[in-house]
Amino acid sequence: MEPHDGREQWGNRAGFMLATLASAVGLGNIWRFSYVAGENGGAAFLLVYVLCVLAIGLPAMLAELALGARARTDVVAAFAPAGVSRAWRAAGALAALASFLILSYYSVVAGWACRYFTGYLDGSLARLPRETLAADFAAFLADPTKPLIWHVAFMAATGTVVAAGVQRGIERAARLLMPLLAALVLLLAGYALSLGGAAKAFAFLLVPDWSRLADPGLYLAAIGQVFFSLGIGMGVLVTYGSYVGSGVRLPGAAAVIAAGDTAFALIAGLAIFPAVFAFGLDPAQGPALAFETLPQVFALMPGGRWFAVAFFFLLVTAALTSAVSLLEVPVAYAMRRSGRSRLAVTVPLALAAALAGIPAALGTGVWRDIKLLGRAPLEAMDHIAADLLLPVAAIALVAFVGWALPRQETLAAADIRSAGLARAWHGAVRYLAPLAIALMLVANAVASS
Ligand code: TRP
């Protein structure tokens, strides 16, 4: 059988768009966006973030989708068309490896969200006195088994969706969950805005403190967040693009997905910040914002328990459809390479990702003395994957599409109707995107050395 024969496809254009949006919308929009924006002053960060989405994120996203749609194969083979140096395959392999690595610790954080969801559902967390919530989070993280059990459970759910197939697993989950998530985040934002912190939250998110723009760290945080949130550079979009049927136009789809992902982060911010402000808490709390600060808010707000149930359900399901996309990258590769069935490669790969996540799951507890690169395992893995591998893979990707592929072919694959826009896009992919990512990479390398 030809490797390209009998490949799965999305049911239709809407299915493709929902699945890709579901990949983009994840922990990055709710947990990561809120704390990064919180640390970087809110509105000034948001402004730079939106500009980066338009100038770098959207062009790179279209480049990645177009590469997949043109190659109709997994990320490694997509880098190896006839007439191009085989060395590029290394870039595809790097992307597949990095997506596997992100999956392994992403699932650990998603596991924390599972624990909070079930804890509010059964009421046990809602009964804790407010002063003990921070200590409770610390005790959970230090527990010898709980973070690990939730991590494994989440990975099993991820594997189950992927094993069910592109249409019957990934696309179906997105069709079912995305409308629910959209309704839920709007509802939460509406309720949060009614609590009295709305004016402060709008000021925080929409009125920039211009002096913040003098901080170079803000730009790096914004570019990094754009790549993470849109899910660029890991081969996810190559893989999802490779399942697109003929006749689907990519530029419009990419624009809708980028806009949807950004809107989702913003509305999640409107659910989180008003509530934080209404009770006089501080939004600049770092990664603990969702797990330590928000439970305090839930303890204070009327109906907080059910708000928390909805919030953590949102977090868990958004994480699930993103984790699914990360697992699909190595699964697509392994299916082609081994010729085995989807199920036969998904089980060992999900198992391997669960094993790879063990240091992250236990590193906050029994393995807390283990340090990688001077950091706790979870932070080290996030640093290696998101700050180093992701930019390298993303540069390789835009450089490949911008320089290695023939210009005409690239423009045809991207399928932009306006000649002027097509030129602007090609310029962004050739120059602006690689440069911006290289800058981010160097700054990250300097910061970590
Ligand atoms: N975008 C997802 C989020 O916001 C995470 C994610 C999915 C991702 N696929 C990716 C991140 C590919 C980097 C690369 O949570």
Side-chain angles (χ1 to χ4, degrees):
M1 190 173 82
E2 277 281 311
H4 298 199
D5 273 356
R7 259 184 124 249
E8 294 168 88
Q9 276 198 354
W10 304 113
N12 58 25
R13 178 172 185 268
F16 154 63
M17 289 184 45
L18 277 172
T20 310
L21 186 62
S23 157
V25 170
L27 295 175
N29 300 63
I30 306 163
W31 163 71
R32 204 171 189 277
F33 177 84
S34 61
Y35 87 71
V36 176
E39 284 178 335
N40 286 285
F45 173 84
L46 188 62
L47 183 73
V48 175
Y49 180 84
V50 171
L51 291 177
C52 286
V53 167
L54 291 174
I56 302 164
L58 186 54
M61 187 174 203
L62 179 57
E64 194 172 334
L65 284 171
L67 177 59
R70 172 189 169 287
R72 306 219 164 275
T73 181
D74 62 271
V75 63
V76 179
F79 272 94
V84 169
S85 158
R86 289 177 66 87
W88 282 104
R89 276 178 182 244
L94 185 75
L97 181 77
S99 81
F100 177 84
L101 199 66
I102 291 192
L103 171 66
S104 65
Y105 71 83
Y106 195 85
S107 162
V108 172
V109 179
W112 301 352
C114 293
R115 184 264 183 176
Y116 275 85
F117 170 67
T118 52
Y120 278 106
L121 196 63
D122 71 17
S124 55
L125 279 172
R127 281 191 292 274
L128 291 180
R130 193 165 81 83
E131 317 76 66
T132 62
L133 283 166
D136 169 73
F137 181 48
F140 166 70
L141 289 183
D143 194 276
T145 52
K146 281 181 188 151
L148 186 61
I149 291 172
W150 283 117
H151 157 61
V152 172
F154 182 84
M155 193 68 82
T158 304
T160 305
V161 175
V162 171
V166 170
Q167 244 184 66
R168 292 196 311 148
I170 301 175
E171 182 174 339
R172 196 202 283 171
R175 282 182 191 273
L176 200 74
L177 294 172
M178 283 318 283
L180 189 64
L181 291 191
L184 212 54
V185 78
L186 283 170
L187 214 72
L188 289 178
Y191 180 59
L193 285 169
S194 75
L195 292 175
K200 259 191 160 161
F202 276 119
F204 181 69
L205 279 174
L206 299 177
V207 184
D209 168 1
W210 299 108
S211 69
R212 286 276 188 166
L213 295 180
D215 172 16
L218 180 142
Y219 300 89
L220 295 177
I223 300 177
Q225 176 63 17
V226 165
F227 275 81
F228 191 91
S229 188
L230 294 180
I232 301 165
M234 297 283 123
V236 167
L237 297 170
V238 172
T239 307
Y240 275 25
S242 76
Y243 302 135
V244 170
S246 52
V248 172
R249 304 211 49 246
L250 295 176
V256 170
I257 294 160
D261 184 70
T262 305
F264 205 99
L266 193 61
I267 298 169
L270 287 178
I272 292 170
F273 294 117
V276 170
F277 286 124
F279 300 105
L281 294 165
D282 178 7
Q285 288 304 310
L289 180 66
F291 300 103
E292 215 176 288
T293 311
L294 283 186
Q296 315 239 8
V297 171
F298 301 145
L300 289 165
M301 85 181 7
R305 174 180 166 193
W306 297 108
F307 192 99
V309 169
F311 177 81
F312 286 110
F313 178 79
L314 183 73
L315 204 54
V316 171
T317 46
L320 181 67
T321 52
S322 296
V324 157
S325 73
L326 290 163
L327 180 57
E328 179 63 16
V329 175
V331 162
Y333 168 69
M335 277 172 74
R336 175 183 61 82
R337 265 311 288 264
S338 69
R340 287 171 196 270
S341 74
R342 175 169 279 278
L343 183 66
V345 300
T346 303
V347 172
L349 278 168
L351 210 66
L355 286 176
I358 289 179
L362 295 184
T364 51
V366 282
W367 289 2
R368 75 169 71 75
D369 292 331
I370 296 183
K371 293 274 181 277
L372 295 161
L373 306 172
R375 301 162 199 247
L378 177 71
E379 273 98 64
M381 288 166 83
D382 183 42
H383 177 61
I384 293 170
D387 298 341
L388 303 173
L389 295 183
L390 194 147
V392 172
I395 289 188
L397 183 114
V398 283
F400 181 77
V401 174
W403 298 93
L405 290 183
R407 186 164 192 274
Q408 279 318 316
E409 228 175 90
T410 304
L411 288 175
D415 191 20
I416 301 174
R417 282 209 180 116
S418 134
L421 269 184
R423 260 198 308 279
W425 172 74
H426 203 243
V429 170
R430 277 197 150 176
Y431 304 103
L432 189 61
L435 246 133
I437 309 165
L439 209 67
M440 170 171 108
L441 183 66
V442 170
N444 282 331
V446 169
S448 71
S449 66

